[in-house]
Amino acid sequence: MKGSSQKLAPYLFIGPSIILLTLFSLLPILLALVISFTDMDLSGLVNYDSIRFIGLENYKNVLLDPSFIKSVGNTLFFVIIGVPLVLLFSLSIAILINMGKSRAFKIFRVVFYLPSVTNVVAVAVVWSYLYNPTLGLFNYVLGLVNLGPVPWLTDPTVAKISLIVLAVWRGIGLNMIIFIAAIKGIPGSYYEAAQLDGANTWQQIRYITLPQLRYAIFFVSITTMIGWLQFFEEPFVMTKGKPLDGTLTASLFIYNNGFQFSKFGYAAAGSFILFFAIIAVTLVQFRLQNKAES
């Protein structure tokens, strides 16, 4: 009797989590998958009999939709530029803070971490005012040095770069903490041996720190890329995908079709296309990591 109760004990602990995961994650995903094969819209919420099964038509139409193709291109632009910048800045700052001996570096750690825990909507609203073409701080400062105003959010290309600057600024903090924790786990004897051999600071970083951080870099690169593939909050609050769909991302395309146009089946199909794309990118990264280690 005692042995059977001990076997059941782990399931009692994980049972509530499994129930919550099933109710609020797995079931909604399965329901969305079913909806993606239908023409469900606003009327379908009132009368289920009006919902028709249309197979893969939603997927075909989404893949042929010029707005979706544009949103994919914009998303790739954000990923290609944003992910390397986040990795570079967060890793560099983590190394510099770890090297610092003064208490001021602890303050720097908090300063860089704060943006990542600040409400994204509040941050986006503040930056919208900073980017304002007539009253914004950035153009005001440029005017002091006789430089013309920059169309931060009104030119498609400049708007993309403006959103990247904001997102990189927000993304540095959390990844910096991960890198700092990984650096703390490197044995100090490695650096002591390197110093005895005459290695300078850059050589210690290149031959000790970076190789020892390969798993942390791999983890951060995957999570950061997934986050950028789902890039949504900043363009939603600041640009609504404008101008000329220049900042329209795949996630924003899905939101617009689902909650503005009430094309639930169409939006569900788009969400699963993005879902499978994220899985494919993640698997490719794992495959490359495994090849690098072999």
Side-chain angles (χ1 to χ4, degrees):
M1 195 71 181
K2 183 178 180 181
S4 60
S5 61
Q6 289 178 343
K7 292 180 180 179
L8 290 175
Y11 297 100
L12 293 176
F13 281 105
I14 67 174
S17 298
I18 293 177
I19 293 173
L20 292 175
L21 179 66
T22 302
L23 290 177
F24 296 104
S25 293
L26 298 181
L27 285 180
I29 290 174
L30 292 176
L31 182 60
L33 180 61
V34 173
I35 291 174
S36 69
F37 296 110
T38 69
D39 63 347
M40 184 176 180
D41 55 14
L42 200 58
S43 62
L45 295 177
V46 181
N47 181 14
Y48 293 153
D49 294 333
S50 65
I51 301 175
R52 294 185 303 109
F53 180 81
I54 58 175
L56 296 175
E57 185 175 340
N58 281 329
Y59 290 88
K60 181 182 69 174
N61 292 336
V62 169
L63 292 173
L64 296 177
D65 192 328
S67 294
F68 180 73
I69 296 174
K70 184 71 175 292
S71 70
V72 171
N74 293 336
T75 303
L76 291 177
F77 182 89
F78 288 127
V79 169
I80 292 172
I81 296 181
V83 173
L85 287 178
V86 171
L87 288 173
L88 176 63
F89 283 113
S90 58
L91 179 58
S92 301
I93 292 172
I95 293 174
L96 291 174
I97 289 178
N98 185 73
M99 292 171 56
K101 304 301 181 182
S102 171
R103 288 186 177 181
F105 286 93
K106 294 183 179 180
I107 300 176
F108 293 153
R109 186 184 308 179
V110 175
V111 170
F112 283 109
Y113 182 66
L114 277 177
S116 63
V117 296
T118 306
N119 184 277
V120 62
V121 176
V123 170
V125 170
V126 172
W127 277 70
S128 295
Y129 286 108
L130 295 176
Y131 282 140
N132 188 285
T134 56
L135 304 175
L137 177 63
F138 293 153
N139 278 343
Y140 173 76
V141 173
L142 291 176
L144 295 178
V145 293
N146 296 322
L147 294 177
V150 176
W152 298 107
L153 299 177
T154 55
D155 179 83
T157 303
V158 178
K160 288 190 189 72
I161 297 174
S162 301
L163 293 179
I164 288 174
V165 171
L166 167 58
V168 169
W169 174 75
R170 285 195 66 251
I172 288 175
L174 180 60
N175 295 322
M176 176 199 68
I177 295 298
I178 295 173
F179 284 132
I180 289 177
I183 293 173
K184 295 294 185 183
I186 301 175
S189 58
Y190 291 177
Y191 296 100
E192 293 173 1
Q195 291 172 0
L196 291 175
D197 289 338
N200 56 34
T201 302
W202 167 244
Q203 290 173 329
Q204 294 176 39
I205 293 173
R206 181 180 177 183
Y207 296 107
I208 299 177
T209 306
L210 294 180
Q212 293 294 317
L213 292 179
R214 62 185 182 277
Y215 294 113
I217 294 173
F218 176 63
F219 172 78
V220 169
S221 64
I222 287 182
T223 55
T224 303
M225 181 170 291
I226 291 175
W228 280 83
L229 286 171
Q230 301 176 11
F231 195 45
F232 173 76
E233 290 91 349
E234 289 84 351
F236 172 71
V237 175
M238 299 179 68
T239 63
K240 305 293 183 184
K242 302 173 183 178
L244 303 174
D245 287 341
T247 58
L248 180 69
T249 62
S251 296
L252 189 54
F253 170 87
I254 295 168
Y255 172 86
N256 290 340
N257 281 277
F259 294 96
Q260 289 190 355
F261 308 141
S262 299
K263 298 161 63 176
F264 301 123
Y266 196 74
S271 66
F272 274 96
I273 291 174
L274 178 61
F275 173 72
F276 291 126
I278 291 174
I279 290 179
V281 171
T282 303
L283 290 177
V284 169
Q285 284 188 296
F286 272 103
R287 181 66 61 85
L288 293 176
Q289 177 70 12
N290 291 335
K291 285 185 177 180
E293 292 179 359
S294 60

